[in-house]
Amino acid sequence: MTTPQVMRIMALSINTAARAGSIIRDVMQRGNLGIVEKEGKDDLQTEADRSAQQCIIASLSRKFPNLKIIGEEGDSNLDVKPEWLVTDENEEFLKNCCPEEWREIKEEEFVVWVDPLDGTSEYTQGLLEHVTVLIGVAIKDRAVGGVIYQPYYKQSNGEIGRAIWGLKGLGTGGFKPTSPPKGQMIITTTRSHLTPLVQQALDALSPTEVIKVGGAGYKVLQLLEGRAHAYVFASPGCKRWDTCAPEAVLEAYGGILTDLAGVHYSYAAEVDYKNRMGVLATVPELKHSDIANQVPKDILDALRS
Ligand code: AMP
Ligand code: MG
Ligand code: MG
C-alpha cells in the first residue's frame, strides 16, 4: 500500500524543519546575522530567515514538485548546497495511521505555508527560546497539519531542538500536553509589536496575567503546554505563514485559532496573506466563541477599517 501524500509531506516537513533549525543555529553561532529591514524596523529579515527558507522550499519541492509552497521570504533560489537538501521522511511519524479523510488528497491539492524563522525580532535580540520554524499544511483552504520546530529547546537528554507536530484527525506529538491553571485567565501576546489597540483588546478580556513572548509559534506553544489560556493579538501584523502551522497543531489538540471575530482564516493559495482581523486562539478548556464574543465591536471595526 502506498503512503498517503499528507503523511509523507508531514514526515518530510518534520525533518526539514529540524535541518532549517540547525541552519538558524549556525548563522547565530557565526555571529553575522545579515539583518535587512523589509517593511521597516518592525519587519526584519536575517541570513537565517533566507537560508532556512531555501532549505525548506528546496527540500519539499524536490520531493513534491507539484506542491504549492508559499514562504514568508518570497521567491528563493532553490539551487541549494547539497547538505541543505533533506530527502529522508521522519520514520517515527510515518508509523502513524493516516486519518481516513486525508488519504486520497493529491499533491496538487495542498498549500504549504512556510515561516522559516518565526520570532525574528527576538532572534536578533538573543531571545532564542522564542524562535520557531513553522511549516503549515493546508488542504482545501483549511489548516490541517503543522510542524512547529524549536531550534533552541533543550531536551532532558541533552539534545538541542524539538519538533512539535499536529494533524487533524490524528492528534499531536513532540510535547507533553498540559492544561492551564483553573480559575485564571492568562493571555499571551506580542512583545515586539504592541499597539494601543492590542492593549485595548487585552484589557477588555480582563486577564489575570499577560505573558509577552515573540512569534506566533511560541505563543501557541504557551497554550499547548499550559502556560496560557488564550493568545490575543488585535493587529493586522500576522500573516498566513505565521498562523497556518500553529492553527493546525492547536486544533489537532482540541483548541481553536481564528481571527478576533471568531472566524477561521482561509489558507487557499490565492488569499491576501495578511491576517487583517487579528488572532484569537484558545485552549480546549475554554469556549472559544465566549471569548470572541467578549471582544468589543469597536476593536473589530478598527481592524476592519
Ligand atoms: P509577534 O506576536 O509580535 O511576535 O508577531 C508574530 C508574527 O507576526 C511574527 O512573525 C511577526 O514578525 C509578525 N508580525 C506581527 N506584527 C507585525 C508587524 N506590525 N509588522 C510585521 N510583522 C508583524
Ligand atoms: Mg513569523
Ligand atoms: Mg519569519
Side-chain angles (χ1 to χ4, degrees):
M1 214 178 76
T2 56
T3 307
Q5 290 296 67
V6 70
M7 299 303 281
R8 296 190 51 216
I9 293 167
M10 284 289 296
L12 187 65
S13 295
I14 291 170
N15 284 1
T16 306
R19 184 71 188 92
S22 69
I23 293 171
I24 289 169
R25 290 191 297 264
D26 288 348
V27 171
M28 180 54 76
Q29 207 167 12
R30 284 202 302 273
N32 180 7
L33 298 188
I35 300 173
V36 295
E37 290 183 6
K38 291 195 286 186
E39 284 175 29
K41 64 176 176 37
D42 287 337
D43 201 3
L44 305 178
Q45 186 199 64
T46 70
E47 184 59 37
D49 299 70
R50 294 184 286 275
S51 299
Q53 170 156 314
Q54 274 183 284
C55 156
I56 295 167
I57 299 190
S59 300
L60 289 175
S61 57
R62 191 72 58 105
K63 270 237 166 144
F64 303 103
N66 300 313
L67 204 56
K68 174 79 188 165
I69 308 171
I70 303 173
E72 171 171 11
E73 313 309 341
D75 291 336
S76 291
N77 173 6
L78 302 185
D79 190 15
V80 303
K81 306 178 199 180
E83 63 266 32
W84 284 6
L85 271 182
V86 179
T87 55
D88 289 341
E89 295 164 13
N90 188 275
E91 293 191 4
E92 269 310 300
F93 180 80
L94 288 175
K95 289 178 187 162
N96 292 293
C97 191
C98 182
E100 189 63 45
E101 57 191 318
W102 315 130
R103 276 204 188 145
E104 306 297 329
I105 307 290
K106 295 188 197 66
E107 207 173 300
E108 302 72 26
E109 297 176 84
F110 292 93
V111 181
V112 177
W113 292 89
V114 177
D115 185 341
L117 195 169
D118 183 42
T120 301
S121 301
E122 286 70 25
Y123 180 70
T124 62
Q125 294 165 30
L127 293 165
L128 301 177
E129 71 274 25
H130 300 225
V131 169
T132 60
V133 176
L134 302 175
I135 305 180
V137 179
I139 299 174
K140 296 186 176 68
D141 87 9
R142 295 300 306 273
V144 164
V147 178
I148 302 176
Y149 186 83
Q150 289 182 283
Y152 291 98
Y153 183 84
K154 290 184 191 70
Q155 300 207 43
S156 50
N157 63 4
E159 212 177 292
I160 300 293
R162 70 167 170 173
I164 284 136
W165 60 261
L167 178 63
K168 285 187 190 169
L170 173 62
T172 55
F175 69 102
K176 186 165 165 271
T178 311
S179 293
K182 286 202 179 74
Q184 294 184 46
M185 176 61 169
I186 307 172
I187 298 184
T188 184
T189 194
T190 184
R191 64 168 285 285
S192 60
H193 298 100
L194 200 69
T195 65
L197 199 68
V198 168
Q199 188 58 49
Q200 217 179 306
L202 295 174
D203 294 343
L205 295 172
S206 316
T208 56
E209 191 185 337
V210 175
I211 305 178
K212 292 179 179 162
V213 299
Y218 195 54
K219 278 190 266 296
V220 163
L221 275 170
Q222 307 304 308
L223 271 57
L224 300 172
E225 299 197 298
R227 289 187 290 273
H229 299 74
Y231 165 15
V232 180
F233 188 49
S235 155
C238 278
K239 321 286 187 314
R240 293 300 196 274
W241 43 75
D242 291 304
T243 49
C244 186
E247 176 178 329
V249 176
L250 183 65
E251 298 204 348
Y253 174 70
I256 297 182
L257 187 150
T258 64
D259 70 13
L260 263 188
V263 178
H264 278 103
Y265 282 110
S266 164
Y267 293 92
E270 57 282 0
V271 294
D272 168 12
Y273 301 163
K274 286 196 170 159
N275 292 353
R276 291 183 190 278
M277 292 299 291
V279 179
L280 175 65
T282 53
V283 293
E285 290 80 0
L286 290 188
K287 194 163 172 220
H288 189 82
S289 56
D290 284 352
I291 310 297
N293 288 336
Q294 285 174 41
V295 177
K297 191 178 164 298
D298 55 338
I299 294 182
L300 300 179
D301 287 343
L303 288 171
R304 268 186 206 108
S305 63

